Amino acid sequence: LAEYKNDIAFLTARPQGGRNVVTMLTRRRLHRKLGAPKHATMLSGTFRNLFNHKQMAEKKFNNFEEFCAMFPEYDYVLLGDAGQGDASLGAMAKRSAPFLGAPGRGGTTLSGSVRAVFIHDITPEKEVTGDGGLKKDYIGQGGLLFHRNYVDAAVQACQLGLIPAEAVVRIAESATRSLCATDFGDSAKRRSQHAQRLEELGVDVEAACHKLERLNEE
């Protein structure tokens, strides 16, 4: 995150809390765990939008629209997961883009677009996301990009021209270190899940190497 820290904003369903306590604690955790800036832009939810994933997605989208209105000169890439309402949020963002722009320098009109929406498929055994939408519909009709780990996501981002090939290598190395160090627990089920995730990552790292080789040849 350090490389792009000035270009990242976090959309969360968590309310700010009294005196912004929840927001402050979330920022602190993101800083410690991910290296995000201490005063990262945090677009928070409200207590009344916590009842279901549809309400969470709608609140996140409202925050996203307001953010885009303040920075109409930017394009956007959204990252979320399939467990809550992020796929619904991504679909709404894709449908609404390009956003209405504000007058720019020299009298030109600025507008931003959603370049891509990446959704981490944390429930691969299910056909629907947390908000009840079919994954195949989000992919086929909504244009969302699902991935099972961030190596897979990095390859897709590289193919879209969003990141260079060198970044894919760094992401693969970081994802491997992170997964190896992750404590899944001592139960047989958890150990099996860890082994499965490692196997999947190995397959995707190998696939990434082949894809990067083809990209270099083109």
Short mmCIF file of all heavy atoms in Angstrom, two decimals, residues 7 21 23 30 38 48 66 70 72 88 95 100 113 117 125 134-135 141-142 149 154 186 192:
data_model
loop_
_atom_site.label_atom_id
_atom_site.label_comp_id
_atom_site.label_asym_id
_atom_site.label_seq_id
_atom_site.Cartn_x
_atom_site.Cartn_y
_atom_site.Cartn_z
N ASP A 7 -3.49 7.51 -2.97
CA ASP A 7 -4.56 7.30 -3.93
C ASP A 7 -5.59 6.29 -3.44
O ASP A 7 -6.40 5.81 -4.22
CB ASP A 7 -3.99 6.81 -5.27
CG ASP A 7 -3.06 7.83 -5.90
OD1 ASP A 7 -3.35 9.03 -5.80
OD2 ASP A 7 -2.05 7.42 -6.47
N VAL A 21 -14.57 7.11 17.28
CA VAL A 21 -13.72 6.09 17.88
C VAL A 21 -13.55 4.89 16.97
O VAL A 21 -12.44 4.37 16.78
CB VAL A 21 -14.30 5.64 19.26
CG1 VAL A 21 -13.54 4.41 19.76
CG2 VAL A 21 -14.18 6.77 20.27
N THR A 23 -13.87 4.72 13.70
CA THR A 23 -13.04 5.10 12.55
C THR A 23 -11.57 5.17 12.94
O THR A 23 -10.70 4.69 12.20
CB THR A 23 -13.49 6.47 12.00
OG1 THR A 23 -14.84 6.35 11.53
CG2 THR A 23 -12.60 6.92 10.86
N LEU A 30 -5.58 -0.72 10.11
CA LEU A 30 -5.12 -0.73 8.72
C LEU A 30 -3.66 -0.28 8.63
O LEU A 30 -2.90 -0.78 7.81
CB LEU A 30 -6.00 0.20 7.88
CG LEU A 30 -7.41 -0.31 7.59
CD1 LEU A 30 -8.26 0.80 6.98
CD2 LEU A 30 -7.38 -1.53 6.67
N LYS A 38 -1.63 6.76 8.48
CA LYS A 38 -2.35 6.90 9.75
C LYS A 38 -3.64 7.68 9.61
O LYS A 38 -4.58 7.49 10.38
CB LYS A 38 -1.44 7.57 10.79
CG LYS A 38 -0.26 6.71 11.22
CD LYS A 38 0.56 7.42 12.29
CE LYS A 38 1.72 6.55 12.75
NZ LYS A 38 2.55 7.23 13.79
N ARG A 48 -27.82 2.63 11.22
CA ARG A 48 -29.08 2.20 10.58
C ARG A 48 -28.85 1.45 9.27
O ARG A 48 -29.78 0.87 8.72
CB ARG A 48 -29.99 3.40 10.35
CG ARG A 48 -29.50 4.40 9.33
CD ARG A 48 -30.60 5.44 9.05
NE ARG A 48 -30.16 6.46 8.13
CZ ARG A 48 -29.64 7.62 8.50
NH1 ARG A 48 -29.49 7.89 9.78
NH2 ARG A 48 -29.27 8.51 7.59
N GLU A 66 -20.41 10.53 -3.49
CA GLU A 66 -20.00 11.82 -2.94
C GLU A 66 -18.49 12.02 -3.09
O GLU A 66 -18.02 13.13 -3.41
CB GLU A 66 -20.41 11.92 -1.47
CG GLU A 66 -21.92 11.96 -1.27
CD GLU A 66 -22.31 11.94 0.20
OE1 GLU A 66 -21.38 11.91 1.05
OE2 GLU A 66 -23.52 11.93 0.49
N MET A 70 -16.29 14.89 -5.47
CA MET A 70 -15.22 15.79 -5.00
C MET A 70 -13.95 15.63 -5.83
O MET A 70 -13.15 16.56 -5.92
CB MET A 70 -14.92 15.51 -3.52
CG MET A 70 -16.01 15.94 -2.57
SD MET A 70 -15.52 15.80 -0.82
CE MET A 70 -15.41 14.03 -0.65
N PRO A 72 -13.59 14.44 -9.40
CA PRO A 72 -14.09 13.95 -10.70
C PRO A 72 -13.00 13.70 -11.72
O PRO A 72 -13.25 13.10 -12.76
CB PRO A 72 -15.02 15.08 -11.15
CG PRO A 72 -14.46 16.30 -10.52
CD PRO A 72 -13.95 15.86 -9.18
N SER A 88 -22.62 -6.06 -4.94
CA SER A 88 -23.73 -5.16 -5.27
C SER A 88 -23.24 -3.73 -5.42
O SER A 88 -23.63 -3.02 -6.35
CB SER A 88 -24.80 -5.24 -4.18
OG SER A 88 -25.87 -4.35 -4.46
N ARG A 95 -22.53 0.53 -13.23
CA ARG A 95 -23.70 1.03 -13.98
C ARG A 95 -23.73 2.55 -14.02
O ARG A 95 -24.19 3.14 -15.00
CB ARG A 95 -24.99 0.51 -13.36
CG ARG A 95 -25.27 -0.96 -13.63
CD ARG A 95 -26.72 -1.30 -13.32
NE ARG A 95 -27.07 -1.05 -11.94
CZ ARG A 95 -26.99 -1.95 -10.97
NH1 ARG A 95 -26.56 -3.18 -11.25
NH2 ARG A 95 -27.33 -1.66 -9.73
N LEU A 100 -20.96 12.08 -13.40
CA LEU A 100 -21.08 13.46 -13.83
C LEU A 100 -19.90 14.25 -13.29
O LEU A 100 -19.61 14.19 -12.10
CB LEU A 100 -22.40 14.06 -13.33
CG LEU A 100 -23.67 13.46 -13.92
CD1 LEU A 100 -24.90 14.11 -13.29
CD2 LEU A 100 -23.71 13.67 -15.43
N SER A 113 -14.30 7.30 -14.30
CA SER A 113 -14.92 6.02 -14.63
C SER A 113 -14.38 4.95 -13.71
O SER A 113 -13.31 5.09 -13.12
CB SER A 113 -14.66 5.64 -16.09
OG SER A 113 -13.27 5.44 -16.30
N VAL A 117 -13.69 -3.64 -11.13
CA VAL A 117 -14.17 -4.03 -9.80
C VAL A 117 -13.67 -5.44 -9.52
O VAL A 117 -14.06 -6.39 -10.22
CB VAL A 117 -15.70 -3.97 -9.70
CG1 VAL A 117 -16.14 -4.43 -8.30
CG2 VAL A 117 -16.22 -2.57 -9.99
N GLU A 125 -17.48 -22.05 -2.63
CA GLU A 125 -18.42 -23.16 -2.66
C GLU A 125 -19.87 -22.69 -2.90
O GLU A 125 -20.75 -23.51 -3.16
CB GLU A 125 -18.35 -23.95 -1.35
CG GLU A 125 -18.93 -23.26 -0.13
CD GLU A 125 -18.02 -22.19 0.47
OE1 GLU A 125 -16.89 -22.02 -0.05
OE2 GLU A 125 -18.41 -21.55 1.47
N LEU A 134 -26.36 -13.62 -7.82
CA LEU A 134 -25.64 -14.71 -8.43
C LEU A 134 -24.28 -14.24 -8.93
O LEU A 134 -24.18 -13.22 -9.62
CB LEU A 134 -26.44 -15.29 -9.61
CG LEU A 134 -27.67 -16.13 -9.26
CD1 LEU A 134 -28.48 -16.40 -10.51
CD2 LEU A 134 -27.26 -17.42 -8.58
N LYS A 135 -23.24 -14.98 -8.61
CA LYS A 135 -21.90 -14.60 -9.05
C LYS A 135 -21.80 -14.56 -10.57
O LYS A 135 -21.17 -13.67 -11.14
CB LYS A 135 -20.86 -15.58 -8.47
CG LYS A 135 -20.73 -15.50 -6.96
CD LYS A 135 -19.78 -16.57 -6.42
CE LYS A 135 -19.71 -16.51 -4.90
NZ LYS A 135 -18.85 -17.57 -4.33
N GLN A 141 -23.09 -10.07 -16.55
CA GLN A 141 -23.85 -8.86 -16.83
C GLN A 141 -23.21 -7.62 -16.21
O GLN A 141 -23.29 -6.53 -16.77
CB GLN A 141 -25.28 -9.01 -16.31
CG GLN A 141 -26.04 -10.17 -16.94
CD GLN A 141 -27.39 -10.40 -16.28
OE1 GLN A 141 -27.94 -9.52 -15.62
NE2 GLN A 141 -27.95 -11.60 -16.45
N GLY A 142 -22.61 -7.81 -15.04
CA GLY A 142 -22.06 -6.64 -14.34
C GLY A 142 -20.63 -6.32 -14.68
O GLY A 142 -20.15 -5.22 -14.39
N ASN A 149 -7.51 -15.35 -4.96
CA ASN A 149 -6.44 -14.78 -4.16
C ASN A 149 -5.87 -13.58 -4.92
O ASN A 149 -6.26 -13.32 -6.07
CB ASN A 149 -5.34 -15.81 -3.84
CG ASN A 149 -4.77 -16.43 -5.11
OD1 ASN A 149 -4.27 -15.74 -5.98
ND2 ASN A 149 -4.85 -17.76 -5.20
N ALA A 154 -3.99 -9.80 -9.34
CA ALA A 154 -2.89 -9.02 -9.91
C ALA A 154 -2.70 -9.33 -11.39
O ALA A 154 -2.44 -8.43 -12.20
CB ALA A 154 -1.59 -9.31 -9.14
N ASP A 186 -5.46 -24.91 14.83
CA ASP A 186 -4.88 -26.24 15.00
C ASP A 186 -5.82 -27.38 14.64
O ASP A 186 -5.40 -28.55 14.61
CB ASP A 186 -4.44 -26.43 16.47
CG ASP A 186 -3.30 -25.50 16.84
OD1 ASP A 186 -2.49 -25.19 15.94
OD2 ASP A 186 -3.24 -25.07 18.00
N SER A 192 -6.50 -28.30 6.99
CA SER A 192 -6.86 -28.68 5.62
C SER A 192 -7.14 -27.44 4.76
O SER A 192 -6.73 -27.38 3.60
CB SER A 192 -8.09 -29.59 5.64
OG SER A 192 -8.51 -29.89 4.33
#
